[in-house]
């Protein structure tokens, strides 16, 4: 029997990642208003998908969900933030190599703040705050950009951006809407 408004359990799953060119990636995401089971499932899906793809971060629009949520996995620490508000700490910036799971196979140097603090909420609706430097700071800025519909290629200087966009027209995945990440097999080396 079907009940109006009933929700059915859906297992957490690795979810297809949208590729550069999908309009969801250039559309600002909406704030989360309901801290419910669906949000917790979204955080789990993001975390699973990020791990399967070997990523340092993943934002909800990258799996086709226009909500302000992202996850990260940096230096062995997994985290997530809902409705984040990011503030640079100090003036220091750093040019460093950056990539994006929605632009696989490409890396370009991108200038980011070296230290940031991000405040927001966890999936249970409790206030959450994370301070990050270097790679974590870069991941937080990159993922927050996704929530504003901004891709890291848009942060490159005009000439580098133009070259990047030209290169992307020849990506082997150009025109493909999404891909399902498959974890790298773990290669066991015999001790002899
Ligand atoms: Zn990205």
């Amino acid at each position: 029997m079907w009940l109006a408004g009933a929700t059915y359990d859906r297992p957490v799953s690795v979810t297809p990642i949208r590729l550069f060119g999908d309009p969801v990636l250039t559309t600002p995401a909406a704030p989360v208003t309901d801290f419910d089971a669906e949000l917790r499932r979204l955080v789990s899906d993001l975390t699973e998908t990020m791990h399967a793809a070997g990523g340092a971060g993943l934002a909800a629009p990258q799996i086709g969900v226009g909500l302000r949520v992202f996850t990260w996995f940096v230096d062995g620490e997994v985290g997530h933030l809902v409705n984040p508000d990011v503030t640079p700490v100090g003036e220091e910036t750093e040019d460093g190599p950056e990539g994006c799971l929605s632009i696989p196979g490409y890396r370009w140097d991108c200038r980011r703040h070296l230290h940031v603090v991000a405040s927001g909420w966890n999936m249970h609706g409790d206030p959450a705050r994370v301070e990050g430097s270097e790679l974590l700071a870069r991941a937080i800025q990159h993922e927050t950009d996704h929530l504003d519909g901004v891709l890291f290629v848009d942060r490159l200087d005009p000439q580098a951006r133009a070259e990047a966009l030209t290169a992307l027209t020849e990506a082997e995945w150009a025109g493909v809407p999404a891909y399902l990440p498959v974890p790298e097999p773990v290669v066991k080396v015999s001790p002899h």
Side-chain angles (χ1 to χ4, degrees):
M1 184 170 129
W2 181 80
L3 296 170
T7 56
Y8 298 95
D9 278 346
R10 175 175 66 73
V12 167
S13 58
V14 175
T15 304
I17 296 177
R18 305 299 179 93
L19 285 163
F20 177 81
D22 189 314
V24 74
L25 296 173
T26 48
T27 303
V32 169
T33 54
D34 297 327
F35 290 77
D36 56 7
E38 192 57 34
L39 175 65
R40 294 192 286 279
R41 210 168 288 131
L42 171 61
V43 170
S44 298
D45 286 348
L46 283 168
T47 305
E48 292 281 309
T49 305
M50 172 181 71
H51 286 320
L58 190 64
Q62 293 181 274
I63 60 168
V65 178
L67 289 173
R68 300 186 73 83
V69 184
F70 66 77
T71 57
W72 70 84
F73 178 51
V74 176
D75 296 334
E77 297 273 346
V78 180
H80 72 277
L81 209 51
V82 178
N83 297 343
D85 185 16
V86 179
T87 310
V89 178
E91 303 281 309
E92 276 182 284
T93 61
E94 182 184 58
D95 235 350
E98 197 162 313
C100 178
L101 293 177
S102 294
I103 309 177
Y106 294 86
R107 290 177 90 77
W108 289 286
D109 276 1
C110 184
R111 183 163 290 281
R112 296 289 189 183
H113 294 285
L114 198 55
H115 311 282
V116 297
V117 58
S119 56
W121 310 89
N122 69 17
M123 60 182 162
H124 304 291
D126 304 317
R129 185 174 184 279
V130 57
E131 282 180 54
S133 295
E134 299 176 356
L135 186 56
L136 180 55
R138 183 173 293 276
I140 289 169
Q141 290 167 88
H142 179 113
E143 303 311 330
T144 303
D145 272 352
H146 273 302
L147 306 183
D148 295 328
V150 173
L151 297 169
F152 86 103
V153 289
D154 298 324
R155 295 284 187 194
L156 308 181
D157 66 54
Q159 190 187 338
R161 179 173 182 273
E163 287 171 8
L165 295 181
T166 299
L168 290 178
T169 61
E170 296 182 358
E172 61 182 26
W173 42 259
V176 176
Y179 68 103
L180 191 64
V182 178
E184 294 278 325
V186 177
V187 179
K188 289 190 176 156
V189 179
S190 310
H192 55 238

